[in-house]
Amino acid sequence: MGNLPRLTNTLQYRQLTSRIQTTGTVRYPTNTAPAAHLRHLSRSQDPCSFAHRIRPIHIRGPNCQRSCSYASLGKMQDTPSQDARSPDPLKSFERDYCDLPPYQCDMSDSAPNTPGPCSASTLPKKYYRHAAHRVFVNRSLHLENIKYYGFDMDYTLAEYKSPQYEQLGFNLVKERLVSMGYPKEILQFEYDPTFPVRGLWFDTLYGNLLKVDAYGNILVCVHGFEFIKHHQVYELYPNKFLKLDESRVYVLNTLFNLPETYLLACLTDFFTNSSEFVRVERGIKAGDFLFTYKSIFQDVRRAVDWVHSDGDLKRRTTQNMAHYVKKDERLPTVLSRIRESGAKLFMLTNSDYTYTNEIMTYLFDFPHGATPEEPHRDWKSYFDVIVVDARKPLFFDEGTVLRQVDTKTGGLKIGTHIGPLQPGQVYSGGSCELFTKFINAKGKDVLYVGDHIFGDILKSKKIRGWRTFLIVPELVRELHVWTDECQLFAELQNLDIKLGDLYRDLDSSAKVKPDISQLRTCIRDVTHKMDMSYGMMGSLFRSGSRQTFFSSQVVRYADVYAATLLNLIYYPFSYMFRAPAMLLPHESTVAHDQAHQPPPALAPAPAPVTGPSSVAASPDESVGRSVAGTEQVKDTKDAKDLHRASSIVHTRPSTPTVVTHTHDEDYSEEEETPSGAESSPEQPLRDASED
């Protein structure tokens, strides 16, 4: 019964609405915020009904004069239009989200219990940690079962400062494009962190950036800096839908893609609006030359790859570590505690050894070790196995040759390493199949922590069955807007109440339909304001009530996710992360206390007429007796058939008396019955019958 309040409190919103109007005060039930903080909101079909399931916020009065305990993380201003954009969006973004003191906002989930619809208010509620310290759960995960913790380096162990690092990459790619022959005017573009968001699709046919849902339905369409209107989107994309075709669409999934995303928009806008170029359907024409959007995209891709592999990005980063890389003394502590729990650690990164060594040396450059009393030690001593140049996602498929790295020179030793893997040594390349063979681990024994939804999470989950932990640094901003913009959520809820009231007394006999045009306009306007609170492209996880493609990938492939791996420090390594129920609309909007009304009882059949008065029988009665006699003969025959079939062991299925259905991915039979045998009292009888 300990998990009952989560389900029941999720269903209480009808009761909340009346309390807003009568008492002027409402506390949204904390249990309605699932561990996956936005996931189940997509179950709603109404564009504003997700306001019924927001995180705990205290609201007083109709104007939402908050008495909530959340200390502000920095107030995000409404995004200005293109014509009235802030003169320095970079500084504004950095001031709002990047220079915040860590963990000063009280986004805890420890609000008092809210009475559920089917129970008394005394039922306990599940405890959740401070929101900034949370690890959110898509699929249940028992840390006690994890034998190996694996870590990516870039944006995982080493978190780069935003937007400084994206601005550096943006400027370097611009310079590379100019050296490739692009106009020098593009050097005037300045990186604006409020525009790009992860998970966008770039349509190389029409040059559009698309924000889509899990199925390819287009939510936002941008050509350059121009947001395309609905009727124009329908003209380009029938039914506002685009299939994910790798020959046409490129998914900008990673944090490294953010400067690339913005640069594609800059170039498209530049060529579209320049008087020296003529816009055609699938590209730009200049005299006798045609630049297709696909060729522009390919040039940008080549420039980005060059900057990361052969350019100055790594050198400029290592020259000014404090400016580009976050450093936190909790990192050696959490790694040391994982090892103390009995698990082993490995690092698996695509970066080369020289760059990896410089970054990791900086991250562990403290006068002490994992604790203030422990002396400083080399970063490699915190890991049992270290693999660089892994070339993920190829590593999870056929892989490459496994070689050992000479840590003195940074070069590769000759020959293929055939094992075993030695602690303190560094290896290059290899494959997941060979790697797991060397460490003697099954898929579910490994928890891999990374930031790349495709290279780290999707491939390791689909191909190798590893448990997955996705790092989403944007959660800091997402949670800030989710908790700080309570007036928008309250306004949406009020509009939803009004919409329900208009249809309250109407059924299929109604001849007059209510006018909801103004109400729909208000809902759209408020939802748009909420989207703009996240940035120009809206939230990373949703557009209104619709989940984005990125969000669906997170739900599907990431077992757990958090803003940083350092949040593991707030959990014991025996912790059971239990996934919340993914409620469907018929579960999330119907209260448990709505009694099921049974169908009306059938009238009792009349008693048969017997006795001396029943002497003469009518023709109908004679026919009835004849039919009854026939049925009696049939019943006798069926009984004989049943007797002949008695040699069949099971004539009907029996209800399982032990757990046989999969409820959680983390379930293991060995945990329940170490012997692997059924614990049912019927088991001895069943064994005897089988003998």
Side-chain angles (χ1 to χ4, degrees), residues 540-570:
L540 173 66
F541 293 97
R542 64 180 52 258
S543 179
S545 63
R546 305 268 293 278
Q547 274 192 346
T548 62
F549 176 77
F550 181 86
S551 178
S552 69
Q553 296 289 86
V554 173
V555 171
R556 185 173 182 181
Y557 297 112
D559 293 326
V560 295
Y561 65 99
T564 171
L565 71 88
L566 297 177
N567 284 3
L568 282 174
I569 205 170
Y570 303 105

Side-chain angles (χ1 to χ4, degrees), residues 182 193 213 261 410 478 652:
Y182 275 70
D213 68 6
T261 301
E478 293 278 333
R652 59 181 297 176

Side-chain angles (χ1 to χ4, degrees), residues 546-654:
R546 305 268 293 278
Q547 274 192 346
T548 62
F549 176 77
F550 181 86
S551 178
S552 69
Q553 296 289 86
V554 173
V555 171
R556 185 173 182 181
Y557 297 112
D559 293 326
V560 295
Y561 65 99
T564 171
L565 71 88
L566 297 177
N567 284 3
L568 282 174
I569 205 170
Y570 303 105
Y571 294 85
F573 289 101
S574 60
Y575 193 83
M576 172 65 177
F577 289 105
R578 187 173 185 277
M582 297 181 65
L583 301 181
L584 294 169
H586 73 275
E587 298 168 320
S588 62
T589 60
V590 179
H592 284 286
D593 62 349
Q594 291 184 358
H596 173 67
Q597 299 295 330
L602 297 175
V609 180
T610 60
S613 60
S614 180
V615 177
S618 67
D620 291 342
E621 291 173 339
S622 300
V623 173
R625 282 197 293 269
S626 175
V627 172
T630 304
E631 291 179 349
Q632 185 176 3
V633 172
K634 183 179 179 182
D635 291 342
T636 304
K637 182 180 179 181
D638 290 344
K640 292 180 179 179
D641 291 340
L642 182 61
H643 178 72
R644 283 196 296 268
S646 62
S647 59
I648 300 175
V649 178
H650 299 114
T651 58
R652 59 181 297 176
S654 57

Side-chain angles (χ1 to χ4, degrees), residues 76-290:
M76 170 177 268
Q77 303 297 326
D78 289 339
T79 305
S81 64
Q82 181 180 349
D83 296 332
R85 188 179 299 174
S86 171
D88 195 346
L90 185 65
K91 291 184 178 179
S92 175
F93 182 89
E94 187 173 348
R95 179 184 65 250
D96 288 343
Y97 296 111
C98 304
D99 294 334
L100 303 172
Y103 311 121
Q104 286 191 353
C105 64
D106 181 11
M107 294 186 291
S108 68
D109 287 340
S110 56
N113 294 332
T114 304
C118 67
S119 60
S121 61
T122 57
L123 279 177
K125 85 171 187 66
K126 185 172 181 178
Y127 167 77
Y128 289 114
R129 282 160 175 76
H130 192 291
H133 299 163
R134 288 274 299 279
V135 173
F136 300 99
V137 189
N138 287 321
R139 274 167 297 283
S140 297
L141 172 67
H142 197 178
L143 293 183
E144 196 171 41
N145 295 335
I146 301 300
K147 299 176 182 177
Y148 294 89
Y149 288 78
F151 298 91
D152 184 26
M153 185 186 75
D154 297 305
Y155 281 110
T156 302
L157 291 167
E159 184 179 350
Y160 298 104
K161 293 183 179 180
S162 180
Q164 297 96 310
Y165 189 71
E166 288 84 14
Q167 184 182 27
L168 172 63
F170 179 79
N171 292 335
L172 292 175
V173 176
K174 282 192 307 181
E175 295 171 4
R176 178 61 180 174
L177 286 172
V178 171
S179 70
M180 292 168 59
Y182 275 70
K184 293 183 178 180
E185 288 83 353
I186 68 173
L187 295 175
Q188 300 176 23
F189 283 113
E190 295 291 336
Y191 182 70
D192 184 353
T194 65
F195 181 88
V197 66
R198 270 203 287 174
L200 299 182
W201 292 8
F202 183 73
D203 179 9
T204 60
L205 184 63
Y206 295 128
N208 296 327
L209 285 169
L210 305 174
K211 187 176 183 180
V212 301
D213 68 6
Y215 311 103
N217 298 300
I218 298 172
L219 307 174
V220 181
C221 178
V222 185
H223 187 83
F225 297 147
E226 179 188 1
F227 286 81
I228 306 301
K229 296 181 179 180
H230 292 286
H231 72 276
Q232 296 173 305
V233 176
Y234 275 109
E235 293 174 1
L236 294 174
Y237 307 97
N239 299 319
K240 293 181 67 177
F241 170 81
L242 181 62
K243 182 181 179 181
L244 181 55
D245 181 357
E246 292 184 0
S247 64
R248 174 178 176 177
V249 173
Y250 185 81
V251 183
L252 298 152
N253 255 338
T254 76
L255 291 160
F256 285 119
N257 289 139
L258 290 177
E260 179 180 358
T261 301
Y262 187 62
L263 186 56
L264 286 169
C266 290
L267 292 174
T268 303
D269 189 79
F270 171 76
F271 287 124
T272 301
N273 295 293
S274 175
S275 58
E276 300 179 9
F277 302 92
V278 178
R279 178 179 178 181
V280 294
E281 184 181 13
R282 300 184 180 183
I284 305 296
K285 188 177 181 182
D288 297 331
F289 297 94
L290 175 66

Side-chain angles (χ1 to χ4, degrees), residues 223-368:
H223 187 83
F225 297 147
E226 179 188 1
F227 286 81
I228 306 301
K229 296 181 179 180
H230 292 286
H231 72 276
Q232 296 173 305
V233 176
Y234 275 109
E235 293 174 1
L236 294 174
Y237 307 97
N239 299 319
K240 293 181 67 177
F241 170 81
L242 181 62
K243 182 181 179 181
L244 181 55
D245 181 357
E246 292 184 0
S247 64
R248 174 178 176 177
V249 173
Y250 185 81
V251 183
L252 298 152
N253 255 338
T254 76
L255 291 160
F256 285 119
N257 289 139
L258 290 177
E260 179 180 358
T261 301
Y262 187 62
L263 186 56
L264 286 169
C266 290
L267 292 174
T268 303
D269 189 79
F270 171 76
F271 287 124
T272 301
N273 295 293
S274 175
S275 58
E276 300 179 9
F277 302 92
V278 178
R279 178 179 178 181
V280 294
E281 184 181 13
R282 300 184 180 183
I284 305 296
K285 188 177 181 182
D288 297 331
F289 297 94
L290 175 66
F291 303 94
T292 64
Y293 294 118
K294 188 167 188 175
S295 67
I296 294 173
F297 166 75
Q298 291 171 341
D299 288 340
V300 173
R301 276 269 80 222
R302 283 193 290 267
V304 169
D305 289 341
W306 184 88
V307 165
H308 280 269
S309 59
D310 304 315
D312 286 342
L313 180 64
K314 293 178 180 178
R315 183 183 62 82
R316 296 273 293 272
T317 301
T318 55
Q319 284 179 346
N320 195 354
M321 292 276 204
H323 186 66
Y324 295 117
V325 184
K326 292 182 180 180
K327 187 177 180 181
D328 197 312
E329 62 182 4
R330 292 176 297 171
L331 179 59
T333 301
V334 70
L335 296 182
S336 179
R337 290 181 181 176
I338 291 175
R339 178 171 284 178
E340 290 171 2
S341 71
K344 295 184 178 181
L345 294 88
F346 66 87
M347 185 172 74
L348 182 68
T349 176
N350 284 354
S351 296
D352 61 88
Y353 174 72
T354 301
Y355 180 70
T356 299
N357 186 51
E358 291 187 65
I359 293 291
M360 296 298 290
T361 299
Y362 171 74
L363 293 177
F364 287 81
D365 184 20
F366 298 104
H368 55 78

